[in-house]
């Protein structure tokens, strides 16, 4: 459920007509709904009751300061994967003890920053990382809290580019070697092992892969405890999928996911962390774009819009589907016809949808790409020297630009001309 609905024939973001935002900020732009973000965060938070738990928003899905602050005020922690994300989380007011640091390639500089600014735990993904973190912590005279990410060798049955839990993926330590690696970690004085971390992939539309992975985590917890390790915290990753089409998909609900966690791991008495990104931010955002031209081609027509693959890369990168709807609601009974929806970038890959049934549209009409709040703005670029598009946050009947569109001059002034060219 989200808060982008038609009212009296016009698409609204909560209580704000989308065309009013477009008139004020120009297209294309991203628009997020506070009520949807809040609702989705709370669904997870409630789903884990009565466990001792922390919902850490995977801010790689949307790292705008206003989004982070909205969630932080609800009590969210953050899952960060870079020094930049750590700095953003801190800047949004998230206390260090609510930040977990994931990722396979943490550098010593990133470790130092997190250890001095405060960190709940590092999710350590390899033995070399473990050794480096130990050395960095010792050099600073501190002890680094860690969970070790294990790779459970489970097929998440999702797009290959976003599956992470199979043994051939680069993530985590093979579960078969976990005992040995925990023994080594326990011997390192700069580390304090607090628990186990697992994340098997993103956009999972079934619970079974989670169940397989979490059962393995439960067994491992007991095996490690038997070896004398104090496993008190389980980080279960993110990955719960969202419906990208409003018609047929029905991924599991956060409450069902929460029940699964309680059923598979509840008896262990651990503190539980989860790292959802997409399910919190995905359907909390749309990308609004204008039709530039309707072009009639040989045997197929093209709707050329002012948003492009640099603004929303998911369709060209993962063949992802985003529902695309007109901002002015078509009258009941309006005939639809198939059309290719494309951006202006000079690549055929700049295609959002092929032969999508759409009502008749004309130059200047607005369309909204739904489910664009996660992995939209954060993955955008200035390819073709197209400025990063603005982001707008709505709350009730208010809206605010939370990232302005840079001017061409601002964009150009980030480059430097070396002395020899002056
Ligand atoms: N935790 C870890 C360690 C992760 O690697 C990820 C996502 C998450 C949590 C959050 O997963 P979520 O709940 O959002 O599914 N750009 C791709 C998705 C990449 C996901 C990467 N890791 C896309 O647009 O589909």
């Amino acid at each position: 459920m989200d808060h982008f609905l038609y009212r009296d024939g016009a698409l609204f973001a909560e209580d704000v007509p989308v065309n009013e935002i477009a008139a004020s900020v120009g297209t294309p732009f991203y628009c997020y709904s506070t009520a949807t973000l809040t609702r989705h965060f709370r669904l997870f938070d409630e789903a884990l009751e009565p466990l001792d738990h922390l919902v850490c928003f995977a801010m790689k899905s949307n790292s705008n300061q206003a989004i982070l602050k909205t969630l932080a005020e609800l009590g969210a922690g953050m899952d960060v994967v870079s020094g930049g994300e750590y700095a953003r989380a801190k800047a949004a007011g998230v206390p260090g003890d609510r930040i977990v640091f994931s990722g396979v390639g943490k550098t010593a500089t990133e470790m130092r920053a997190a250890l001095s600014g405060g960190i709940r735990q590092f999710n350590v993904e390899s033995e070399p990382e473990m050794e480096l973190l130990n050395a960095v912590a010792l050099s600073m005279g501190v002890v680094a809290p860690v969970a070790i990410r294990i790779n459970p060798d489970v097929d998440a049955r999702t797009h290959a580019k976003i599956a992470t839990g199979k043994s051939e993926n680069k993530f985590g330590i093979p579960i078969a070697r976990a005992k040995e690696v925990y023994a080594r970690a326990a011997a390192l004085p700069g580390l304090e092992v607090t628990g186990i971390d697992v994340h098997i992939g993103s956009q999972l539309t079934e619970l079974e892969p989670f169940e397989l992975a979490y059962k393995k985590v439960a067994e491992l917890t007991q095996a490690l405890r038997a070896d004398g390790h104090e496993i008190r915290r389980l980080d279960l990753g993110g990955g719960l999928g969202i419906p990208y089409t409003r018609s047929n998909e029905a991924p599991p609900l956060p409450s069902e996911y929460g029940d699964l966690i309680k059923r598979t791991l509840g008896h262990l008495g651990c503190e539980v962390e989860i790292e959802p990104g997409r399910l919190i931010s995905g359907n909390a955002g749309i990308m609004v774009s204008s039709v530039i031209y309707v072009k009639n081609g040989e045997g197929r027509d093209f709707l050329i819009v002012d948003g492009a693959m640099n603004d929303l890369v998911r369709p060209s990168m993962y063949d992802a589907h985003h529902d695309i709807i007109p901002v002015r609601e078509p009258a009941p009974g309006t005939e639809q016809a198939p059309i290719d929806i494309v951006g202006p970038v000079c690549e055929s890959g700049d295609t959002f949808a092929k032969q999508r049934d759409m009502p008749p549209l004309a130059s200047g009409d607005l369309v909204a790409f739904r489910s664009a709040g996660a992995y939209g703005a954060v993955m955008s670029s200035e390819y073709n020297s197209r400025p990063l598009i603005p982001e707008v946050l709505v709350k009730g009947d208010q809206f605010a630009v939370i990232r302005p569109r840079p001017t061409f001059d601002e964009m150009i002034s980030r480059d430097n001309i070396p002395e020899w060219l002056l």
Side-chain angles (χ1 to χ4, degrees):
M1 207 218 117
D2 62 52
H3 290 77
F4 299 102
L5 299 169
Y6 289 119
R7 274 190 214 167
D8 299 328
L11 187 67
F12 274 65
E14 300 192 17
D15 299 327
V16 184
V18 169
N19 61 6
E20 279 182 19
I21 306 175
S24 158
V25 305
T27 57
F29 64 93
Y30 279 103
C31 175
Y32 309 122
S33 150
T34 301
T36 315
L37 284 167
T38 304
R39 179 182 138 78
H40 290 167
F41 171 77
R42 291 214 169 112
L43 286 177
F44 275 117
D45 206 26
E46 284 158 16
L48 293 182
E49 290 293 344
L51 299 177
D52 183 6
H53 68 275
L54 183 67
V55 179
C56 295
F57 176 57
M59 59 177 277
K60 63 169 75 71
S61 69
N62 191 319
S63 54
N64 187 290
Q65 289 293 289
I67 301 295
L68 302 186
K69 205 160 186 332
T70 300
L71 292 169
E73 282 178 3
L74 298 170
M78 296 292 153
D79 167 41
V80 310
V81 291
S82 69
E85 284 196 353
Y86 179 82
R88 279 185 172 276
K90 291 295 295 239
V94 183
D97 65 5
R98 279 203 261 143
I99 303 177
V100 300
F101 203 139
S102 303
V104 293
K106 301 175 201 78
T107 64
T109 310
E110 290 172 325
M111 292 169 178
R112 234 173 266 121
L115 283 171
S116 50
I119 190 79
R120 181 180 181 83
Q121 105 225 357
F122 291 91
N123 289 333
V124 172
E125 299 228 13
S126 66
E127 288 147 294
E129 181 190 339
M130 208 163 85
E131 302 289 338
L132 179 62
L133 182 57
N134 177 57
V136 170
L138 290 179
S139 75
M140 295 172 69
V142 297
V143 174
V146 301
I148 297 177
R149 178 166 175 182
I150 53 112
N151 184 322
D153 195 21
V154 164
D155 182 359
R157 299 204 284 260
T158 183
H159 190 287
K161 285 188 185 161
I162 53 176
T164 56
K166 285 289 287 171
S167 55
E168 68 256 30
N169 301 131
K170 68 182 174 186
F171 301 96
I173 282 164
I175 195 160
R177 297 205 39 239
K179 285 178 96 163
E180 185 190 327
V181 175
Y182 272 84
R184 174 68 188 145
L188 295 173
L191 304 186
E192 186 210 353
V193 180
T194 63
I196 305 175
D197 170 46
V198 70
H199 169 78
I200 57 174
S202 194
Q203 186 53 19
L204 272 72
T205 52
E206 325 161 278
L207 286 181
E208 287 77 5
F210 287 118
E211 180 158 7
L212 287 173
Y214 295 169
K215 282 184 171 159
K216 291 191 180 190
V217 169
E219 277 167 29
L220 182 62
T221 303
Q222 270 153 347
L224 292 173
R225 282 179 173 168
D227 286 354
H229 301 286
E230 193 210 344
I231 303 297
R232 60 171 197 274
R233 192 181 273 172
L234 301 176
D235 182 332
L236 304 174
L240 193 59
I242 61 171
Y244 275 100
T245 55
R246 274 188 295 176
S247 38
N248 44 20
E249 276 175 281
L253 302 171
S255 57
E256 294 166 327
Y257 175 68
D259 288 344
L260 168 71
I261 290 175
K262 286 176 251 181
R263 197 169 67 244
T264 50
L265 300 159
H267 59 287
L268 296 167
C270 288
E271 185 182 0
V272 166
E273 297 159 353
I274 55 170
E275 303 168 348
R278 191 189 313 261
L279 205 144
I280 292 178
S281 57
N283 282 326
I286 57 174
M287 182 180 81
V288 180
S289 195
S290 302
V291 175
I292 309 179
Y293 301 115
V294 182
K295 176 174 167 177
N296 302 119
E298 191 98 50
R300 73 170 56 207
D301 297 336
F302 298 93
L303 194 68
I304 303 175
V305 298
D306 62 359
M309 64 188 288
N310 68 298
D311 305 311
L312 177 63
V313 77
R314 302 193 68 259
S316 56
M317 195 158 186
Y318 313 109
D319 296 316
H321 173 102
H322 286 263
D323 275 354
I324 304 170
I325 59 169
V327 167
R328 192 175 338 107
E329 188 177 23
T334 305
E335 291 244 337
Q336 303 215 337
I339 193 161
D340 284 12
I341 303 172
V342 302
V345 163
C346 306
E347 293 194 25
S348 297
D350 186 21
T351 297
F352 290 118
K354 287 200 164 140
Q355 295 299 286
R356 181 75 61 85
D357 280 336
M358 294 292 286
L361 287 162
S363 298
D365 284 348
L366 298 172
V367 291
F369 290 69
R370 294 177 53 82
S371 314
Y375 307 111
V378 284
M379 292 182 79
S380 60
S381 76
E382 288 181 344
Y383 186 40
N384 279 207
S385 284
R386 296 167 45 87
L388 291 184
I389 68 177
E391 294 175 85
V392 170
L393 180 62
V394 171
K395 183 172 193 223
D397 59 3
Q398 318 169 64
F399 75 89
V401 175
I402 57 173
R403 179 184 289 173
R405 191 189 314 276
T407 63
F408 292 150
D409 282 347
E410 283 164 345
M411 206 165 69
I412 295 165
S413 66
R414 291 203 304 264
D415 299 355
N416 287 324
I417 305 292
E419 234 167 60
W420 65 84
L421 285 176
L422 290 174

